[in-house]
Amino acid sequence: MEYDVLVIGGGIAGMESAINLGEAGYKVLLVEKEPSIGGKMILLSKVFPTLDCASCISTPKMAETAHHPNITTMTYSEVMEVKRNGSGFNAKILKKPKYVNESACTGCQDCERACPVNVKYDEFNFDLVGRKAVFIPFPQAIPKVAVIDIDNCILCGACERACPASAIDFTQVPEEIEVNVRSVIVATGFKLFPAERKPQYGFGKFKNVINAMQMDRLLAPTRPFNTVLRPSDGKEAENIAYVLCTGSRDRTVGNPLCSQICCMYSIKQAQLILGALPLADVTLYYMDIRAFGKGYEEFYKQTRDMGVQFIKGRVAKIEERENGNLILRYEDIENGGRVQETEHDLVVLSVGLLPTPEITSIFKEEKLELDDYYYVKQVDEDLSPARTSIEGVFVAGTAYGPKDIPDTILSAGAASSEATAYMETTRRQK
Amino acid sequence: MTVGNKENEEFAPSILVFSTDSISDPGIDLAGSSHLAYPSTVSVISLPCSSGIKPKWILHAIEKGFDGVFIAADGTDCPFLPDCTTRTAKIADTAQSLLKEKGYDPQRVKMGAICSVCAEPFANHMRNFFNALQKIGPAKKGGGKDGI
Amino acid sequence: MTERKVGVYICHCGGNISDYVDVHKVRDVVESEDGVAIAKTTMFACSDAGQQEMIDDIKEQKLDGLVVASCSPKLHLLTFRGVAKRANLNPYQYVQVDIREQDSWAHREDHEGATEKAIRLVRAGIAKVRQSQPLKPTEVETVKKALIVGGGIAGLRAALVLADMGIYVYLIEREEKVGGWASKFSVMYPHDKSGKELIGELLSEVAKRGSKITIFTNAELLKKGGYLGNFDITVGIGGDTNEAETINLKVGAVIVATGFDTYKPKQGEFGYGLKGVVTLPEFKAMVEASDGKLEYDGQQVKNVTYIYCVGSRQKADVENANTYCSRYCCNAAIHTSTLVSKVDPTVHQFHLYRDIRTYGKYETLYEETQKMGSVFLKFDEDEPPVVDSSDGTLRVRVKDLLTDREEIEIDPDLVVLVTGMVPRENAGLTNALKIPLGRDRFYNEIHPKLRPVETVIDGVYIAGAAQGPKNSSESVASALAAASKAAGLVMKGYTELQPLVAYVDPDKCEWCGLCAEACPYEAIEKSTDEQRGKEIATVTGMLCKGCGGCVPVCPTDAIQVKDYEDHTIMDAIDALLEEV
Amino acid sequence: MEKVNPDFLDNVKEMGAFDISACYSCGNCTAVCPLSTEEYSFPRKMIRYSMLGIEDKILSGPELWQCYYCGECTDTCPREADPGGLMMALRRYTIRQYSVGKIADIFYGGTSSVIAWVFLSLVAIAGLVYFHNPTPNLQRVDPLSFITLDFLHYAGMVLGIVIAFFAIAQLVIMWRSLYKDEMHVTIGEWWQSFWDILINEVFIQKTFNECEDKNRYWAHLALLWGFLGLFLATILAFGIDFLISVDSGLKIIPHVLGIVSGLVLLYGSGYYLYRRYFIKDSYSKYSHHSDWVFIWLMFLAGLTGFLLDLFVWINLPWPAYIAFAVHLVVVFDLLLTAPFAKFAHAMYRPLALWISKTYSNKEKVQQAQA
């Protein structure tokens, strides 16, 4: 199969690049490893500083991607290998079996209701709740098709019997697809910092210490519990603390970089919490508030005026009380520099972003270089921000460094622009 | 649905919802796919944007027999107009004064921002509006007075 | 009675609908509706067999309307439009009725009600199809040329990439020379690249593109006419616009990359005006000019004190307050301080800041300058540092929040005011292009999250610091993004526009201008109707987004949006209310 | 109003704290410190004072001496700025600042300290060479047949006076910088906290025990008790020699005490030497040469004291006399430099803790009254 561009990753960076290229008339293959496109943004509640509902603005983008005549979307698929082939590349893609016939599935979720297996984690709700072994990733998923998590499936056949469209197909096998493309865009995004790596914060040990992605799920309109509950006893939280820079600006965990978005998403969540739980107190423990983008400073100011507390001091450790409340120990730097211990009933760790260096391994013969922090290296950040060490391979979004949504969109535009210029110049040279 | 038997004790008000293709429609869809129940007397007409609703359509709907009209507004998520909320609110206002002129209770028009995942809020809006309309009573088809 | 022949298909969805809705009853009822030629139930409308059945029926029975009552159109609108296309039926004569998400699934406890509702919804769908007309997306030819306004690093980079894409570029620059701010710097962060060299590199690349890029200097955009993909631009060349020679350019897209200005402190603001108090750009120039020794006024500089957020993050009550954060200045000041340490490691540097915003990878710059010895003091916005030299010595006093609010006194040789970016004065351009300004007076994008380079004016894009403060590499990224959007518009030589747009009934229109006011897309204009001898509103279909915002404001019901006309909606309402 | 002194930190950095400039004032170090209190918070405040050069705030507070360098601050510092290292560097700096006539400077300079230690040791050796008895008892070990009791007696007296002079003078200097007239502390209150500090902080080292690393606590306690034990054994031995008889059977007591204390001291100093050489704990990642000298002298003092007793016990005359000679040289170095070298913390810390404890007691009383 021939395409002009292979886009690896179906988050907003990948989708935006694909749409730009599709609009310009190029045939694009977008490969996403999850069962739905949309990336992390579709899972968010609202976005700063406009407080737009994240899915309201990203679902149209997802639909545009999925239905664009020039874009082919492959979900639940992984690019295994990219090799230079003439002036372009040859790519091998592994299409993982969903065990569901995609064209037959109507997204009715009857299988999900019939499935007897309760899996404890739901990756799209950041494990706040469980899911079934056959499931539709999330309500706005595109394609809205069920997928069977075969590792947890007991092969009981209940879904098969429940499916009115006979879409369940256990005979599916992994399929390897080979394509030729002229250019590649890497848009593999970021990983969340695993908060367990800061044992002093007790994530995974103390029930009422959650990460910010979980909080975003609790605040989303599609939230699992329909309100902001603390996990230990299901009580509505009254006094919520945010620990900023969890896993960022921290050499002890090997990440000296600022994650660029945590200040703002924490501020956004604080505003949303005040809306959801008008009586709750929200305190942010920060080092520097990095409200640097357009409209961000004003949003920060507004949040302070709404009564959210900002305390300068990095939280050093968290201890749990018997009632599940948590004691935060920090130095209140701006008020006498005293060591303080403050009690909160829910703690949100504003976790940072980590790179996805695994992507380098799929490039054979030529090396996709990484920078000092294991992000994809920009070989000419000043003039060609999307260019990588491999000619014809471009990078978009958080694959090359932490970014907020607007910056991600800009970087995706830069990648599609440079890919277009690359394809046009090589075409002329031929 | 009991459009024909409005005088019955168990009056089930009929509600027309104006929704929008890209924002509130998905929210209403999600209410259904989440199996959130609301009265079956609710029907939806979709438009591109809630700022494009004509007050006279609302009047027409009430005069022809709907007991209430709900505007599922785009709010700040509107992809077209940054001042969509203000515009939609103005339309609702105008519709209310039109209704008043014709002798209908202006409460028969209601507006709420429904985002693309606002399934629960939508179902709640519908149930509450349904109850409120039950109290107001049936709209007199063809221009009867609501008694206000 | 209508002449239309409509096919209606009611989907079981394998029970997802038919378990709650009596689909056969729905079929039986709607079968007799006016214009219905055929009504069927189908197990899965979306299945291959289901689709084929429809195609066959449409062809055999020469249907001119199609109603599919199934799931949400969000899932299968395009599927069934495809069915229509394959059966040679105009896709706009197809309507999907949602009886799953908005009916069977929402009213699972009320089978009767759900069935009744399905009947009403399908009737409304039929009513809508009866009113439908064959519509076609308008295809507009686009000129494969772009105009870039502003020849700074963003404008030049956009010009290059567009030329490489095969798009002809005009670049106009107001100044005598292109290059912008970057060409004034010899070292910039984060890679210590020289701005002069970067601009030099870009200019030599531009030269290599030969006739694909035409640059006009001393040039200003005076007027924009035409429409999406076909703009007529008038450019004035040669200083004062009255004497200007004008040229006309036809382009498909416009990228505005007019950059920024630096904030100029008021006299006395943090001691500005005193000897030894300079702004960051002034200081940067000094550092770059220094030859192994930092000097000011003939004296060696041993102590530099920076004051951050000058002209940024101002309180709203300041006159013409810049309440925004200027984004680049923390990084720029910190980078400059590393340069100072490299010139002379013995210089002591104190940074008085509010929050250090070295976001992302720039955090390492902050760490680097600290390790080189720079000391940071944090001040409260309510207690800003005071600069004076009343006893002959330049002195800064500040309450340091990091040191228990201790009042600290520094006697620096130089005070550097870290000034931010302010929007450039561009009234003429703004007027000509009609791009709205944001609260911060920078050009406003159409949506700050997902559409940061597009404006409400289709085909006009904004790039670089014209949209908001940015450093040079961010400006380049946004220039490339704007170029990508421009390419999407002009690359293919045509663009397709959806046909559901507003139109005016000239008989009813008595030009009042309300609709034009209501349209942010500049899609409605006044025109003269010769035939009727009056002024009326005209919609430029290419600019119209079909939102309908103009519809309710019209006092004479003269403006309508296709497919959402009064009669369509009212028919649908009537159909919904018909007795079952 | 404090004037910045940008050169101050450069001076401190000569004593260590090379990474401290990386500090971005997050407060983690202070919050994680088990010894930092609401009243006396450190190390971050000390970092700020150092960066801005507000020297008097550093010298006039007890914080430097409240720190036992557990290393938790350094281990968890997100910028790897080694705040604990700064506390140590500041202590070295402070010992120099307090010392009479800046004598301590000698022991912290690079070349000067080498010369000083060698010179002191040579003086001690010369003294021994001059005063020792060339024909000691080779039948049965008798240390006093090698060096006369009188010599030891008088040398000890001179040494004691010199040390006492400097120690007292410097403690007065410290007292004056920490003393706050406005606190109006009564003699009784001083007396009360004196015992508290002596028992809890000196003998038991209660605060040190709050550090997480318990092994370090025990080793430090061993150093203290080992040294005190050897000191006591020496005094007892001389006392018995003087007051009873050189041949008294009671000498078994100082012997046993000496052996036990020697072993204890060996354990303590050996532990520290081992950690510093092989296990780079955060607190021992960087060792100033003043640390090395002190810990080696301690170790040698313990080792030679123990060997001396051992050789006396099994009656090996020459090894015993050599061990004795070395022991005397080491002890001479150790004691003579005690007010200037690292050993000085043993006197500064209790004083600082005593003063701060008294003040915080007083404040509590005042608060209770208010």
Side-chain angles (χ1 to χ4, degrees), chain C residues 152-439:
Chain C
I153 195 161
L156 287 170
R157 185 63 185 93
L160 261 188
V161 81
L162 286 169
D164 286 345
M165 293 174 185
I167 296 167
Y168 192 93
V169 180
Y170 299 107
L171 187 151
I172 59 172
E173 164 61 50
R174 192 159 67 172
E175 308 286 321
E176 266 170 57
K177 269 170 44 187
V178 290
W181 282 101
S183 64
K184 296 187 171 78
F185 299 129
S186 55
V187 201
M188 299 195 303
Y189 72 94
H191 301 295
D192 282 349
K193 284 270 187 72
S194 154
K196 286 189 192 89
E197 279 171 28
L198 289 177
I199 295 294
E201 212 176 297
L202 285 176
L203 287 177
S204 81
E205 286 295 317
V206 165
K208 282 187 207 157
R209 302 300 184 278
S211 62
K212 287 180 189 162
I213 302 173
T214 310
I215 296 180
F216 301 101
T217 52
N218 281 323
E220 287 195 57
L221 189 151
L222 301 179
K223 230 172 75 191
K224 187 201 80 176
Y227 51 89
L228 172 68
N230 293 274
F231 295 118
D232 295 309
I233 306 288
T234 312
V235 176
I237 300 181
D240 188 45
T241 46
N242 293 328
E243 298 158 29
E245 172 203 339
T246 60
I247 50 168
N248 295 309
L249 305 172
K250 197 155 186 70
V251 295
V254 179
I255 295 177
V256 178
T258 47
F260 65 98
D261 264 325
T262 58
Y263 177 79
K264 185 143 170 58
K266 295 186 196 72
Q267 202 65 17
E269 188 177 354
F270 294 107
Y272 193 65
L274 295 178
K275 193 172 149 243
V277 181
V278 297
T279 64
L280 181 63
E282 290 163 357
F283 181 61
K284 183 91 192 290
M286 280 171 55
V287 177
E288 297 198 344
S290 71
D291 192 16
K293 205 156 76 179
L294 195 60
E295 280 188 347
Y296 177 77
D297 204 28
Q299 297 282 317
Q300 197 176 350
V301 174
K302 293 310 272 174
N303 183 323
V304 182
T305 297
Y306 302 81
I307 299 174
Y308 284 61
C309 295
V310 175
S312 310
R313 300 180 71 187
Q314 288 175 322
K315 290 192 169 181
D317 51 14
V318 177
E319 202 191 331
N320 291 326
N322 297 326
T323 52
Y324 57 88
C325 159
S326 223
R327 180 174 182 134
Y328 95 111
C329 5
C330 280
N331 299 327
I334 283 173
H335 175 249
T336 308
S337 75
T338 63
L339 297 181
V340 171
S341 293
K342 282 173 195 160
V343 171
D344 180 357
T346 66
V347 175
H348 293 294
Q349 303 187 76
F350 294 93
H351 302 249
L352 317 186
Y353 73 97
R354 286 173 56 191
D355 285 283
I356 288 296
R357 293 185 168 168
T358 45
Y359 52 90
K361 294 180 187 172
Y362 301 130
E363 178 72 7
T364 54
L365 263 181
Y366 178 31
E367 191 171 356
E368 185 188 348
T369 200
Q370 285 195 297
K371 285 184 173 168
M372 286 171 153
S374 270
V375 174
F376 287 75
L377 295 88
K378 180 173 176 163
F379 65 87
D380 193 316
E381 90 174 289
D382 294 324
E383 287 179 297
V386 178
V387 182
D388 81 77
S389 59
S390 46
D391 60 355
T393 325
L394 191 58
R395 179 157 297 155
V396 182
R397 286 194 186 89
V398 62
K399 275 195 184 166
D400 181 16
L401 293 176
L402 305 180
T403 316
D404 211 0
R405 292 178 193 260
E406 193 78 58
E407 191 155 0
I408 308 288
E409 197 175 273
I410 311 170
D411 292 349
D413 303 315
L414 265 185
V415 171
V416 178
L417 305 184
V418 179
T419 45
M421 289 180 178
V422 292
R424 184 160 271 214
E425 181 51 50
N426 268 328
L429 182 72
T430 312
N431 247 335
L433 291 178
K434 303 198 175 70
I435 322 175
L437 300 179
R439 266 187 305 177

Side-chain angles (χ1 to χ4, degrees), chain B residues 10-147:
Chain B
E10 285 208 7
F11 160 54
S14 54
I15 298 171
L16 175 65
V17 176
F18 282 112
S19 81
T20 70
D21 288 333
S22 53
I23 306 296
S24 49
D25 242 18
I28 298 170
D29 282 354
L30 186 59
S33 38
S34 314
H35 293 184
L36 299 171
Y38 55 88
S40 67
T41 49
V42 174
S43 309
V44 176
I45 291 182
S46 298
L47 300 165
C49 165
S50 54
S51 297
I53 300 167
K54 273 191 170 179
K56 78 171 198 189
W57 297 343
I58 296 172
L59 180 66
H60 178 83
I62 301 290
E63 283 183 331
K64 282 300 178 90
F66 274 108
D67 300 303
V69 173
F70 182 82
I71 303 177
D74 285 353
T76 51
D77 299 322
C78 176
F80 299 106
L81 303 163
D83 56 344
C84 186
T85 312
T86 335
R87 290 181 187 228
T88 311
K90 214 178 139 196
I91 290 162
D93 275 355
T94 316
Q96 287 186 330
S97 19
L98 276 182
L99 289 187
K100 234 175 170 172
E101 265 173 45
K102 298 275 179 183
Y104 292 106
D105 191 331
Q107 310 261 352
R108 293 193 187 279
V109 180
K110 208 174 148 45
M111 159 183 167
I114 301 294
C115 75
S116 69
V117 280
C118 290
E120 182 95 16
F122 175 74
N124 289 339
H125 269 303
M126 287 307 108
R127 288 191 285 257
N128 294 339
F129 194 29
F130 187 86
N131 293 339
L133 288 170
Q134 269 186 328
K135 285 195 190 105
I136 297 173
K140 296 277 185 340
K141 205 167 166 181
K145 301 260 173 194
D146 268 1

Side-chain angles (χ1 to χ4, degrees), chain A residues 249 251 287 314 329 331 337, chain D residues 24 26 30-31 33 41 44 78:
Chain A
R249 303 179 71 186
R251 285 198 174 274
M287 299 204 285
R314 192 185 183 105
R329 192 175 154 98
E331 183 191 350
Chain D
Y24 57 16
C26 68
T30 304
C33 176
S41 101
R44 196 192 61 84

Side-chain angles (χ1 to χ4, degrees), chain D residues 8 12 15 17 35 46 50 58-59 61-70 84-98 104 108 174 208 216 220 276 290-291 294 340-346 348-349:
Chain D
F8 177 75
V12 175
M15 307 281 94
L35 308 180
M46 298 295 116
S50 305
I58 296 171
L59 296 184
E63 291 89 347
L64 294 180
W65 308 100
Q66 289 172 331
C67 166
Y68 284 85
Y69 206 0
C70 327
L86 175 81
M87 296 298 278
M88 296 310 282
L90 282 176
R91 246 162 65 177
R92 295 179 194 114
Y93 179 86
T94 306
I95 289 175
R96 291 173 58 179
Q97 289 311 102
Y98 285 155
Y108 289 89
M174 183 195 225
F208 200 151
R216 248 186 100 228
H220 195 259
R276 277 185 194 269
S290 58
D291 300 325
F294 175 60
F340 318 111
K342 181 168 179 157
F343 208 167
H345 77 269
Y348 289 129
R349 173 174 285 148

Side-chain angles (χ1 to χ4, degrees), chain A residues 50-102:
Chain A
T50 48
L51 289 187
D52 277 311
C53 133
S55 70
C56 292
I57 58 175
S58 46
T59 355
K61 201 145 222 123
M62 290 161 69
E64 195 182 348
T65 309
H67 298 142
H68 200 288
N70 286 339
I71 303 173
T72 307
T73 308
M74 281 174 64
T75 53
Y76 215 46
S77 301
E78 280 184 65
V79 179
M80 306 305 289
E81 191 181 295
V82 177
K83 240 197 270 189
R84 191 171 290 282
N85 176 22
S87 64
F89 301 90
N90 176 276
K92 288 199 179 75
I93 298 153
L94 183 76
K95 196 167 163 40
K96 293 178 278 185
K98 286 184 180 171
Y99 301 103
V100 172
N101 178 347
E102 283 190 68

Side-chain angles (χ1 to χ4, degrees), chain A residues 353-383:
Chain A
L353 274 51
L354 293 182
T356 46
E358 309 78 48
I359 187 66
T360 52
S361 65
I362 67 165
F363 289 90
K364 308 295 172 192
E365 292 160 15
E366 280 165 288
K367 194 170 173 221
L368 185 75
E369 284 175 27
L370 299 178
D371 68 12
D372 296 347
Y373 310 101
Y374 304 99
Y375 287 97
V376 175
K377 185 176 179 178
Q378 298 169 275
V379 293
D380 183 10
E381 184 182 343
D382 295 276
L383 292 181

